[in-house]
Amino acid sequence: MFSAADTTFMAQAIRLAELGRYTTSPNPNVGAVLVHNGVVVGSGYHRQAGGPHAEVSALREAGIAAKGATCYVTLEPCSHYGRTPPCAEALIAAGVARVVVAMQDPNPQVAGRGVAMLRSAGIQVDVGLLEAEARALNPGFLSRMERKRPYVQLKLAASLDGRTALANGDSKWLTADAARSDVQHYRAQSCAILSTATTVLADNARLNLRPEQLQHSVTALQSGELRQPKRVILDRNGTLDHKLALFNDGGEVLLCVSKVENSRPLPNIARQIHCPLDSKAQFDLVALLEHLALRENVNTLWVEAGATLAGTLLRLNLVDELIVYLAPKLLGNTAQPLAVLPEFTALAQVPELRWTDMRMVGPDIRLTATVNHTATGVTG
Amino acid sequence: MFSAADTTFMAQAIRLAELGRYTTSPNPNVGAVLVHNGVVVGSGYHRQAGGPHAEVSALREAGIAAKGATCYVTLEPCSHYGRTPPCAEALIAAGVARVVVAMQDPNPQVAGRGVAMLRSAGIQVDVGLLEAEARALNPGFLSRMERKRPYVQLKLAASLDGRTALANGDSKWLTADAARSDVQHYRAQSCAILSTATTVLADNARLNLRPEQLQHSVTALQSGELRQPKRVILDRNGTLDHKLALFNDGGEVLLCVSKVENSRPLPNIARQIHCPLDSKAQFDLVALLEHLALRENVNTLWVEAGATLAGTLLRLNLVDELIVYLAPKLLGNTAQPLAVLPEFTALAQVPELRWTDMRMVGPDIRLTATVNHTATGVTG
């Protein structure tokens, strides 16, 4: 069904889609390439919600050369009127002869209808080329659509012996500048950051995006395209003073409370969101993640918190990926742990990971791992 | 002083020297290349103590072509009669015109005399080409000669959160087969393994070399060339039963005791060595390492032990290199620590490392680090 040339052009569409990773959410990253007689006549990617879709950019560039061309697109063309007219209609109108789609759109508003619309117009549609690679473009969007929760990335920083701070709390600076700058790149790609009042209070943390710490290739994005992620703060007891740096800088602050108090004055930047309590009178994090996906359009959630929240998310199997900065230090057995977990009695019970990447980040090592959700009993 | 061609030939000599890494100790790894009119006419490396030195192998291969040639050798040619006649004499006799030496021999029996002998015979000698690379061939030999203690490699295996076993002791198998096979390659290159009676008793550990777990390239060595490292066991209270697997397999067992009891019956494979106690009535590990270097010719010491000995060695700044297998698991805060260290009150006090390598070993990650001996107050 697919030729080597098909694969080459789809790979090009995937690389184009990646260019949107700082700007496209809550929409998916999508790339498209139009090819006529073996020559690329148009290409594009979806850059910002409300802006042109990838196929439309490619069609504009191709002009009349689109007639009889093949369109390679990383996600099924949309079939519905949203902020823009349906791409399937545009492809039909342009006279495209064939559409190669990497993956069907999981959005229930599309879900096969785009393909059907194209086929009923007589266009040859082939689906499934480089599907795994196309899925990897949009872990957050797919998680929100398919699992009704964000893709959760847990950021950790520890010594080689897995300690985050000395017994007295000293952790400045466990990792070096390069690791902190690297974190900024993750924040810049995240829809929201999850943390706790305890963490905010400990460092008067802002948990915001500091563009001056980003690499030039990112800051070269046009003004307004980089967005401040929302800060989602678990604040059970409403302890956060409005003078904290958190409220003076950065994106919106969503204060998770078990009971919304409309009468309570809040900084302009902040609002309360309701999070139910579980049977142990703790925040129901499963419910919170569903709320963030369905109500706040959070594709990717970046977690920066202490060992307790980290451990709870891991125990509930809510973590999809760990990003760990390992400092070349040993803090010893009295120092603070990486994750508070229940006591296990057999190695078969412990959370299992799979290493996916390792690299130097300045003097520190960054390890990434995915969580093997089938290993433990609970499913997120 | 050195041309690009000089560097090329010395690099070749260094690669040859590396071939001896499983067989040459307690002698140093040395490689030699003889070049006449730009053509390699002979090469060799030192393979086993008692066997021919690198220069002699190269001269034998070159025959009369050695006359007027340049000899590239990674270590200063020896000047004394040991188990073999001095190489400097052989080079003179062969009529070599020039000798390029990567580094001076730190052995006080040589230490510049080889170079002097060559020069007084009218041979041009140039010293210092690729010296750092040549030193890296022999961390153990150089440590024994220059510091009067072995090069100490501490092996650790831990989960991502720096834990070595569950609270109940379960640690089988934290890391996978590939990591255990990798450990065998380190054991095979080590003169001795240091451990404790506690560790031996916990697993009935043999701490021996299992050639069947080595890669083919290593097992292809001739029979008898692979050696079983000595096992040096801290056995303060003489608790080791003679029926333990340790005494039935592998290399010699050196039982460290504070008072040698000649009357005590020991398995044939074992003998006692005296290790004084320090002011806190613990084994004086500084004295033990000196003993192992000076009396037992231990170049490299591979440590496989628990968090207490690991911590003590680190605290005393006696560890040169850490080899850490990180399993993709999280054991939680109740699990057992990697290293028992004193409680620090500021990050400036903690042991500082420098990452030197990282790679996948099966499903685990192997990290290596050197210890920054200048960071803490104590010096080994």
Side-chain angles (χ1 to χ4, degrees), chain B residues 26-28 53 75-80 82 103-114 135 141-142 144-146 297:
Chain B
N27 281 6
H53 286 190
L75 188 68
E76 179 183 8
C78 63
S79 58
H80 64 291
M103 63 173 290
Q104 185 176 299
D105 193 329
N107 185 339
Q109 291 184 288
V110 186
R113 280 181 221 158
R135 287 190 63 87
F141 177 77
L142 295 178
R144 177 160 69 89
M145 291 294 156
E146 295 174 349
N297 283 340

Side-chain angles (χ1 to χ4, degrees), chain A residues 156 160-163 166-168 170-174 314 322 324 326-334 337-347 350-355 357-360 363-365 367, chain B residues 156 160-163 166-168 170-174 314 322 324 326-334 337-347 350-355 357-360 363-365 367:
Chain A
L156 299 165
L160 170 58
D161 52 346
R163 309 292 173 148
L166 297 178
N168 67 10
D170 187 11
S171 68
K172 284 208 173 181
W173 295 102
L174 181 63
L314 285 162
L322 286 95
V324 188
L326 267 195
K329 294 178 171 69
L330 289 159
L331 304 197
N333 55 307
T334 62
L338 192 61
V340 172
L341 290 170
E343 184 171 327
F344 302 107
T345 55
L347 277 186
V350 311
E352 298 261 359
L353 315 172
R354 192 171 62 81
W355 302 121
D357 189 76
M358 54 180 167
R359 62 185 66 194
M360 297 300 301
D364 303 309
I365 286 175
L367 303 177
Chain B
L156 299 165
L160 170 58
D161 51 348
R163 308 293 172 148
L166 296 178
N168 67 9
D170 187 12
S171 67
K172 282 205 176 187
W173 294 104
L174 181 62
L314 286 161
L322 287 95
V324 188
L326 267 195
K329 295 178 170 68
L330 289 160
L331 304 197
N333 55 305
T334 62
L338 191 62
V340 172
L341 290 170
E343 184 171 327
F344 303 108
T345 55
L347 277 185
V350 311
E352 299 261 359
L353 316 172
R354 191 170 64 80
W355 302 121
D357 191 74
M358 55 179 164
R359 63 185 66 194
M360 296 300 301
D364 304 308
I365 287 176
L367 303 177

Side-chain angles (χ1 to χ4, degrees), chain A residues 92-347:
Chain A
I92 295 164
V96 164
R98 180 186 174 215
V99 178
V100 181
V101 173
M103 64 174 288
Q104 185 176 296
D105 193 328
N107 185 337
Q109 291 185 289
V110 186
R113 279 180 223 160
V115 169
M117 192 184 281
L118 292 166
R119 282 187 177 144
S120 64
I123 295 175
Q124 179 189 344
V125 185
D126 299 314
V127 181
L129 179 60
L130 298 185
E131 181 168 355
E133 291 78 1
R135 287 190 62 86
L137 289 168
N138 290 301
F141 177 76
L142 295 178
S143 178
R144 176 161 69 89
M145 290 294 156
E146 296 173 350
R147 306 188 301 178
K148 297 185 174 40
R149 65 176 176 90
Y151 185 78
V152 175
Q153 294 177 300
L154 174 61
K155 177 251 177 182
L156 299 165
S159 58
L160 170 58
D161 52 346
R163 309 292 173 148
T164 58
L166 297 178
N168 67 10
D170 187 11
S171 68
K172 284 208 173 181
W173 295 102
L174 181 63
T175 52
D177 283 347
R180 294 197 294 280
S181 160
D182 195 60
V183 165
Q184 290 290 324
H185 290 81
Y186 281 103
R187 286 186 184 174
Q189 292 176 62
S190 299
C191 299
I193 298 171
L194 176 65
S195 192
T196 65
T198 310
T199 294
V200 169
L201 289 170
D203 303 328
N204 193 11
R206 287 178 288 167
L207 297 168
N208 64 343
L209 178 62
R210 293 157 209 165
E212 71 278 11
Q213 292 182 21
L214 296 171
Q215 290 169 355
H216 179 68
S217 59
V218 180
T219 51
L221 289 171
Q222 288 164 29
S223 153
E225 287 189 313
L226 277 177
R227 287 88 44 89
Q228 287 287 350
K230 296 174 181 176
R231 279 85 50 90
V232 181
I233 311 296
L234 303 180
D235 184 23
R236 185 74 194 283
N237 305 311
T239 47
L240 293 182
D241 190 286
H242 297 175
K243 287 176 188 146
L244 284 163
L246 181 78
F247 296 111
N248 290 315
D249 212 351
E252 202 179 8
V253 178
L254 276 52
L255 295 166
C256 300
V257 293
S258 56
K259 201 172 154 187
V260 174
E261 299 172 61
N262 289 320
S263 61
R264 190 148 168 240
L266 287 172
N268 286 338
I269 206 174
R271 63 184 157 92
Q272 295 181 335
I273 61 169
H274 171 250
C275 181
L277 299 182
D278 64 17
S279 58
K280 288 177 181 164
Q282 303 294 311
F283 279 129
D284 180 343
L285 296 174
V286 174
L288 174 63
L289 293 193
E290 185 175 313
H291 178 97
L292 293 177
L294 299 185
R295 304 295 182 86
E296 304 287 345
N297 283 340
V298 173
N299 289 351
T300 52
L301 184 66
W302 175 251
V303 185
E304 295 192 39
T308 306
L309 180 58
T312 305
L313 289 167
L314 285 162
R315 182 171 51 78
L316 295 173
N317 247 331
L318 294 174
V319 177
D320 295 302
E321 191 175 4
L322 286 95
I323 289 88
V324 188
Y325 299 91
L326 267 195
K329 294 178 171 69
L330 289 159
L331 304 197
N333 55 307
T334 62
Q336 298 185 16
L338 192 61
V340 172
L341 290 170
E343 184 171 327
F344 302 107
T345 55
L347 277 186

Side-chain angles (χ1 to χ4, degrees), chain B residues 4-304:
Chain B
D6 287 342
T7 306
T8 301
F9 293 124
M10 185 60 85
Q12 195 172 332
I14 285 172
R15 284 194 300 275
L16 284 168
E18 286 167 354
L19 297 175
R21 65 182 176 279
Y22 289 96
T23 55
T24 312
S25 68
N27 281 6
N29 290 309
V30 185
V33 173
L34 273 166
V35 177
H36 203 158
N37 291 333
V39 177
V40 173
V41 292
S43 65
Y45 69 97
H46 186 39
R47 191 169 170 111
Q48 272 191 302
H53 286 190
E55 303 92 317
V56 170
S57 293
L59 287 171
R60 278 182 197 164
E61 188 180 318
I64 55 163
K67 194 169 168 68
T70 295
C71 178
Y72 296 87
V73 59
T74 60
L75 188 68
E76 179 183 8
C78 63
S79 58
H80 64 291
Y81 282 84
R83 290 200 250 186
T84 56
C87 291
E89 227 167 56
L91 290 163
I92 294 165
V96 164
R98 181 186 173 216
V99 178
V100 181
V101 172
M103 63 173 290
Q104 185 176 299
D105 193 329
N107 185 339
Q109 291 184 288
V110 186
R113 280 181 221 158
V115 168
M117 192 184 281
L118 293 165
R119 282 188 178 141
S120 64
I123 295 175
Q124 180 190 340
V125 184
D126 299 313
V127 182
L129 178 61
L130 298 185
E131 182 169 353
E133 291 77 2
R135 287 190 63 87
L137 289 169
N138 291 300
F141 177 77
L142 295 178
S143 177
R144 177 160 69 89
M145 291 294 156
E146 295 174 349
R147 306 188 302 177
K148 298 185 173 40
R149 65 175 177 89
Y151 185 77
V152 175
Q153 294 178 300
L154 174 62
K155 177 252 178 181
L156 299 165
S159 59
L160 170 58
D161 51 348
R163 308 293 172 148
T164 59
L166 296 178
N168 67 9
D170 187 12
S171 67
K172 282 205 176 187
W173 294 104
L174 181 62
T175 53
D177 284 347
R180 293 197 296 279
S181 161
D182 194 61
V183 164
Q184 291 289 325
H185 289 82
Y186 282 103
R187 286 187 184 173
Q189 292 177 63
S190 298
C191 299
I193 299 172
L194 176 65
S195 193
T196 64
T198 310
T199 294
V200 169
L201 288 170
D203 302 329
N204 193 10
R206 288 178 289 167
L207 297 168
N208 65 343
L209 179 61
R210 293 157 209 166
E212 71 278 11
Q213 292 182 22
L214 296 172
Q215 290 170 355
H216 180 68
S217 60
V218 181
T219 51
L221 289 171
Q222 288 163 29
S223 154
E225 288 190 311
L226 276 179
R227 285 90 42 90
Q228 287 286 350
K230 295 173 181 176
R231 281 82 54 87
V232 181
I233 312 296
L234 303 180
D235 184 22
R236 185 72 194 287
N237 304 312
T239 48
L240 293 184
D241 190 286
H242 297 176
K243 289 178 187 144
L244 285 164
L246 182 77
F247 297 111
N248 291 316
D249 211 352
E252 202 180 7
V253 178
L254 276 53
L255 295 167
C256 299
V257 293
S258 56
K259 203 173 155 188
V260 173
E261 299 172 61
N262 289 321
S263 62
R264 187 144 173 244
L266 287 173
N268 285 338
I269 206 174
R271 65 185 157 92
Q272 296 180 335
I273 61 169
H274 172 251
C275 181
L277 300 181
D278 65 15
S279 59
K280 288 177 181 162
Q282 303 295 312
F283 279 129
D284 181 342
L285 296 173
V286 174
L288 175 63
L289 293 192
E290 186 175 310
H291 178 96
L292 293 176
L294 299 185
R295 304 293 183 88
E296 304 286 345
N297 283 340
V298 173
N299 289 352
T300 51
L301 184 68
W302 175 251
V303 184
E304 295 193 39

